[in-house]
Amino acid sequence: MDKLVIEGNVPLRGRLRVSGSKNAALPILLACILAEGPVRLRNVPKLKDIATTLQLLRMLGCGAEQNGEIVVTCVGQNLIPEAPYDLVRTMRASVLCLGPLLARLGKAVVALPGGCAIGSRPVDLHLRGLERMGATFELEAGNIIGRCKRLKGAHIHFDFPTVGGTENLLMAASLAEGETILENAAREPEVTNLADFLNACGAKIQGQGTSIIRVQGVDRLNGAEFGVMPDRIEAGTYLVAAVITDGELYLENCSMADLDAVVYKLREMGVWLQEGKSGVLVKRGTNLVGVDVMTQPFPGFPTDMQAQIMALMGLADGSGTIKETIFENRFMHVQELVRMGARIKVSGQNAVVRGVDQYIGAPVMASDLRASASLVLAGLAAKGSTEVLRIYHLDRGYEELEAKLSQVGARIRRVAQ
Ligand code: EPZ
C-alpha cells in the first residue's frame, strides 16, 4: 500500500486546474445503460472509482473506452443485468446501476452494498421508490434481485433527500410509463448534472436542483455528447490547501456557485476569495478564527468538506464547532489530526475544535476519501514530515493529487510500500 510523504510548512502558490466531478461522472456513466446509442463524455476524471465504473459497465455487457474522452455503448441485447459483490463492495455507487437496469431490461441482480467506513449507508429509500414504480425485490445470498415489467411513473416522497436515491429514481423514471414526481429530492449540483445529461439523451426532466423533480417517461433514450461538471469538492479541498499553507492559489475551471456554503464559512473564518471569469483566487486574508459548521444536504454545508474545514479550523484563533448530520461515523480523521497536535474533542455527532499554533508532522492513517484529504492538508501546513498511510482511499477521488500539489510548491512524494 502506497504512502504520501509531505515536508510541510510551505506556502502553496500558483494555478491549479480543477478536474471533472467524481460524484457527477459516476451516475452519468451508469446512466449510459439507458441510452440506445453511443455516449461521448468529456471532462471525466482519471480516478480509481471511474476505472471501477468502466469495469462494471463492461461486466454488464457495455462497451466502455477511455482515451481522453470516454465513449460508452450499451446495446440492449448484449446487456447482462448482474453487478457482482466483489465489485460492488469496492464501490458503493455501483448500486446506481439498479435503476437503469430495471428501466432498460426489467431485471437487475446487484449485490447489496455493505456498510463502509463512514456509516451503514443503507439503500432502503432507493428500493422503496423503485417498488412504488412497480419493481419487486428479493434478497438472495446478499444480492438484490429486482424485477419489473415496464416501470410506471409514481409520486415518490423521500424521507431524506438522498443523493443516490434521487439519482437512481431519476434514471428509472426517464424510461418509465407516465409521469414521476420526486419530492424532497436531493438538490446537489451532481444530481442536476445527471438530469441535464439524461435530457441531452432525450429524457424529459424538469425541476432538477429543486426539491420537486418531475419526469415524463419516454420510450427510448439516444446517445449524446456531454461534459461532466467540475468537481466542487476537489475545488473546496484546494481552497483550504491555499489557506492552510498561508499561500495563494488560482483555481481554474471551478465556480463558487456550487460551493456557496463553503465559501460563506471560509469568509466567516477570515479567508479572502475572489471569483474570476473562469476560476477563483484564494488566500488567507486576516488571521483565521474558528466558526460553527453544521453539515446538511445541498445547499447546506457539504459533508464531503467537513474533514477539510476541520483541519483548517484546527489552526484558527479561538475555537469552533462542527456538527456532522449526514453520516453516523465521519470523524475518523479527528484522532489522526490529534496525533499532529490538533485539539479536538468529539461527543456524538459534535466536535469542538480549539485552534493551535502549528501542527507537528507525524505518521497518520487514512480511513476514507475525505478524511485522507484532511490529513494531507494538515501535513502541508505542519512543521516537519508527515506520512499519510493507506492512500488508496485518496486515489479514489483526487486526480493526480501529488502532481497538482507539487506544481504549486508542495514538497510531497508517493512512496510505494
Ligand atoms: C453521495 O453518497 C456521495 N457519493 C457522497 O460522497 C456524499 O457524501 C453523499 O452523497 C452526501 O452528499 C456519490 O455521489 C458517489 P445519500 P450517497 O444517499 O448517495 C442515508 C465522497 O466522499 N440514506 O445522500 O450514498 C445514508 O445512510 C462520497 O465523495 C438512507 O438512510 O448519499 C446517509 O446517512 C462519500 N437510506 C444519508 O442518507 C437510503 O436509501 C446520505 O446518503 C439512502 C441514504
Side-chain angles (χ1 to χ4, degrees), residues 203-275:
K204 291 189 171 55
I205 300 169
Q206 291 177 320
Q208 56 269 39
T210 75
S211 298
I212 301 182
I213 303 177
R214 289 174 189 279
V215 186
Q216 304 303 329
V218 295
D219 294 336
R220 58 168 285 157
L221 291 179
N222 308 309
E225 296 207 4
F226 192 77
V228 170
M229 65 177 274
D231 193 315
R232 63 191 174 102
I233 304 301
E234 184 198 23
T237 305
Y238 287 127
L239 290 179
V240 173
V243 179
I244 205 169
T245 59
D246 200 4
E248 179 174 319
L249 290 179
Y250 184 80
L251 301 187
E252 295 168 350
N253 188 38
C254 89
S255 147
M256 292 209 283
D258 295 336
L259 277 172
D260 270 346
V262 175
V263 167
Y264 182 86
K265 279 298 164 184
L266 289 174
R267 281 184 167 143
E268 202 184 322
M269 289 182 75
V271 173
W272 184 91
L273 297 119
Q274 189 175 58
E275 183 142 26

Side-chain angles (χ1 to χ4, degrees), residues 14-18 238 249-252 404-405 407-408:
R15 299 171 77 94
L16 275 182
R17 180 173 174 72
V18 174
Y238 287 127
L249 290 179
Y250 184 80
L251 301 187
E252 295 168 350
K404 289 189 178 184
L405 288 172
Q407 172 191 325
V408 289

Side-chain angles (χ1 to χ4, degrees), residues 22-24 26-27 92-93 96 118 120-127 160-165 167 186 188 190 232 303-304 325-328 330 368-370:
K22 164 179 89 81
N23 288 351
L26 293 181
R92 306 180 28 71
L96 293 174
I118 62 177
S120 59
R121 311 289 294 276
V123 291
D124 55 311
L125 302 179
H126 301 231
L127 302 179
F160 176 87
T162 157
V163 171
E167 291 168 342
E188 273 70 4
E190 293 78 16
R232 63 191 174 102
T303 175
D304 291 350
T325 71
I326 306 294
F327 291 109
E328 63 264 33
R330 207 169 195 180
D368 66 86
L369 172 55
R370 308 305 174 180

Side-chain angles (χ1 to χ4, degrees), residues 37-81:
V39 173
R40 191 176 291 279
L41 295 174
R42 298 183 306 280
N43 203 34
V44 178
K46 278 197 172 42
L47 296 169
K48 177 85 178 64
D49 276 7
I50 297 297
T52 304
T53 305
L54 294 176
Q55 186 191 355
L56 171 58
L57 284 169
R58 293 182 191 114
M59 291 174 96
L60 295 171
C62 302
E65 299 309 322
Q66 178 163 26
N67 302 308
E69 290 185 341
I70 286 191
V71 181
V72 180
T73 311
C74 298
V75 177
Q77 63 264 29
N78 300 346
L79 289 179
I80 310 145

Side-chain angles (χ1 to χ4, degrees), residues 157-205:
H157 188 285
F158 288 114
D159 296 349
F160 176 87
T162 157
V163 171
T166 303
E167 291 168 342
N168 239 333
L169 270 296
L170 259 185
M171 293 186 279
S174 297
L175 286 184
E177 187 182 344
E179 180 183 55
T180 296
I181 299 173
L182 301 180
E183 278 205 73
N184 198 22
R187 298 167 53 184
E188 273 70 4
E190 293 78 16
V191 174
T192 299
N193 207 216
L194 169 66
D196 293 347
F197 167 69
L198 289 167
N199 283 344
C201 295
K204 291 189 171 55
I205 300 169

